[in-house]
Amino acid sequence: MKPEPSTFHSRPDGRRRIERATTWIFRAATYLVLLAGGAVLLTIAVKGSRTLFQSEAPFINWSFLTEAPESLYIFEWEGRTLEMGDREFRAFKERNPAAANVEAESYVYSAGGIFPAIAGTLLLVLGSMTIALAVGVSAAVYLNEYARDGRGIRFIRLAILNLAGVPSIVFGLFGFGLFVIFLGWNVSLLAGWFTLAFMVLPVVITASEEALKAVPLGFREGSLALGATKWQTIRRNVLPYALPGILTSSVLGIARVAGETAPIMFTAAYVVRDQLPWQVERLGDFFFQGVMALPYHIYVVSSKIPQNAHTERVQYGTALVFLLLVATIAGTSILLRQHLRKRHSW
Amino acid sequence: MVIADPPLMDSSAPELAGTPPPPAPAERSVVAQIEHLDFFYGTTQALKDVTLDLESRKVTAFIGPSGCGKSTLLRCLNRMNDLIEGARVAGGTVRIHGTNIYDRTVDVIEVRKRVGMVFQKSNPFPKSIYENITYGLRLHGRRDKSRLDAIVEQALRGAALWDEVKDRLHQSGLGLSGGQQQRLCIARAIAVEPEIILMDEPCSALDPVATAKIEELIQELRARFTIVIVTHNMQQAARVSDRTAFFYLGSLVEYADTRDIFTNPAKPQTEAYVSGRFG
Ligand SMILES: Nc1ncnc2c1ncn2[C@@H]1O[C@H](COP(=O)(O)OP(=O)(O)OP(=O)(O)O)[C@@H](O)[C@H]1O
Ligand SMILES: [Mg+2]
């Protein structure tokens, strides 16, 4: 077609149709993702709130958050169907001797609460992020501030990038082999901490390097020109300004540490444990105890007990608590970052 | 020409530490001597056989077209080039009071304490004005509050900034205007009492009024410090400096009293440059 000067041709019909179709395909894909994500979150929110919230004051079902899991017993009594947790059921039988041999359906872990799992997850996050940040930030400082670019450093960077893509189950097996078996730590908090820390290290290192790179060169030069050593410069004039960035990106790490099941199922998690983590005789024992953890608990209650109306309570309740916990941790870090940003902005 | 107080080579490092500069003799006295300096970035040579003396309590201007090595030479004087990968001094010496600062025994920290620097892009730290000034002092272990207060005032007065900021010492240094920020950087540099102050195009990002203030300030500072200034502004070089060095393609073409460079240059290249015919 020969273009005529000073007039615009309307686009040929075929091309316009393709244009419209592609727009719709992309739009549909986006909506599909939204729909799927929304459906999952909504189901958990709706079904989980039945466990977590109640209609009368104090509106939150505290016992679910503060008690240990118990077995659920369901039985017929005087023409009614009763549901009771383990302790309540035993007390009931004492009060009503006639009920001693009543036929009861039972489901493990379906009554009571999930407090030990919440505590365990918090401890796992705290310990592993402490280790990951200490090691990760140091490594990032070395790579970004001290190391001279060479083949060795490039290789290390590549290795770190690749490590980020390793499936978490591999970290779980690695932790199991190294910490649990070889170092003889058994299934323990310590083994879980290090396994999870290794898993998020690539994220922490990469994020910290980005944050360090974002600190203007002028801060370093200005400091060095005043006669600061390299370490003084990094400590006083680089790290404080990189911290907000490091924290933000570490949120990603926190969510992963809190959420992954595979790395802890061989290294730190117990299906159920009666004592709480701080109920240990000696301080040293603290590090060498296994703990319950939310993601593992979700795995247990959703795969090891039947799915029905009686068990849904704990299944969806745990999932909702877990989501809220991760959201809270992420939110806190974001607030912290904004606070730090305000104090140190340039 | 008198060379002030040349210590022995091997006793150099401790000598550089903290000792106040010797009182300047009335005649021209040399603080720093650059001799046959060759400098490379990787394989490209940025300085070729540069030889030049810096005189005590004088303002020396480095001029020349872009890329001729002015900044490189300036940064050789406080070893800031050490930070650049692949940058190296391939030959020659940079002596400060007779000590080659590129000697193995010399502590680079001591060099930088005695040779301060003001950068082209003003770089106040995102701290309060007070903390900006005390940064260098704290590095070297000064903690005494009343003493620090006194030094802050002295440094800010020295940089002609005191009256403008005395009520907001604890506010961020980033809240200042561009010209004030650059003077804050000068105050920060003079707070550690260096002997030489290097300025790399300190006014290139400033408006004429702020520039005039800095130039005025340089006039005051020359009574106490030896100043080296890199500038692209011929009028500025003519106004503020006592001596001017003209560089071209990494070589020192001509080094003489500023008056001579601008009115009676010995080399035709210099003449062409200062009269604006090239570069
Ligand atoms: N970090 C570096 N790496 C490699 N080469 C560099 C580096 N810095 C400067 N050079 C080169 O060295 C030469 C001198 O640079 P220098 O910055 O000293 O010039 P200058 O005279 O200060 O220029 P300008 O007036 O533009 O600031 C230039 O050719 C430049 O390209
Ligand atoms: Mg330059």
Side-chain angles (χ1 to χ4, degrees), chain B residues 234-251:
Chain B
M234 291 306 110
Q235 287 83 34
Q236 182 169 67
R239 279 192 300 263
V240 302
S241 71
D242 304 295
R243 303 269 290 165
T244 296
F246 171 62
F247 295 87
Y248 185 60
L249 296 178
S251 303

Side-chain angles (χ1 to χ4, degrees), chain A residues 176-185:
Chain A
F176 181 69
L178 179 60
F179 305 122
V180 179
I181 306 287
F182 183 71
L183 293 178
W185 293 352

